[in-house]
Amino acid sequence: MAVSTTVSQRKHIKRKAPRGFLKRVFKRQKPHLRLETSGDLLMHLNCLLFVQRLAEESRTNACENKCGVIKREHVLAAAKRQRLLLTGISM
């Protein structure tokens, strides 16, 4: 029997935020903090957006330095720039 050349159609599994883990971490770190029901999801989304911006900025730094690999110093420079942008200080 010949090997099939078609790609099997797998069902796409939606990845969900680890809500139990997030709630447990928030309770341990800040027990006095009272979050609304979807507060943990908003924090998770904020973290994902930050990581995405950090990765894009790190890639830009690596390209500016004509480096094919994103190194530690590229990420640190991007994190410093992100922190300055969050505090409102312009470079």
Side-chain angles (χ1 to χ4, degrees):
M1 187 172 189
V3 178
S4 176
T5 59
T6 60
V7 178
S8 65
Q9 297 294 323
R10 292 179 134 184
K11 288 186 178 180
H12 181 68
I13 299 172
K14 293 183 181 179
R15 299 205 52 178
K16 296 182 182 178
R19 296 191 77 175
F21 172 75
L22 292 172
K23 288 179 184 179
R24 194 167 53 245
V25 168
F26 294 146
K27 278 290 185 194
R28 282 186 195 149
Q29 297 293 324
K30 306 259 183 196
H32 61 281
L33 189 65
R34 294 176 51 182
L35 293 174
E36 68 177 51
T37 54
S38 63
D40 56 339
L41 293 176
L42 293 174
M43 296 272 245
H44 186 255
L45 178 62
N46 190 22
C47 182
L48 290 176
L49 290 173
F50 173 76
V51 170
Q52 182 180 11
R53 281 193 308 252
L54 186 67
E56 289 175 359
E57 190 69 32
S58 300
R59 184 175 60 89
T60 304
N61 289 344
C63 290
E64 286 174 357
N65 294 340
K66 295 182 174 104
C67 185
V69 177
I70 297 173
K71 296 182 180 175
R72 184 174 187 258
E73 54 265 11
H74 301 137
V75 176
L76 291 176
K80 184 177 180 181
R81 190 171 298 141
Q82 287 292 330
R83 184 175 34 207
L84 292 175
L85 288 174
L86 290 174
T87 59
I89 301 171
S90 62
M91 290 180 69

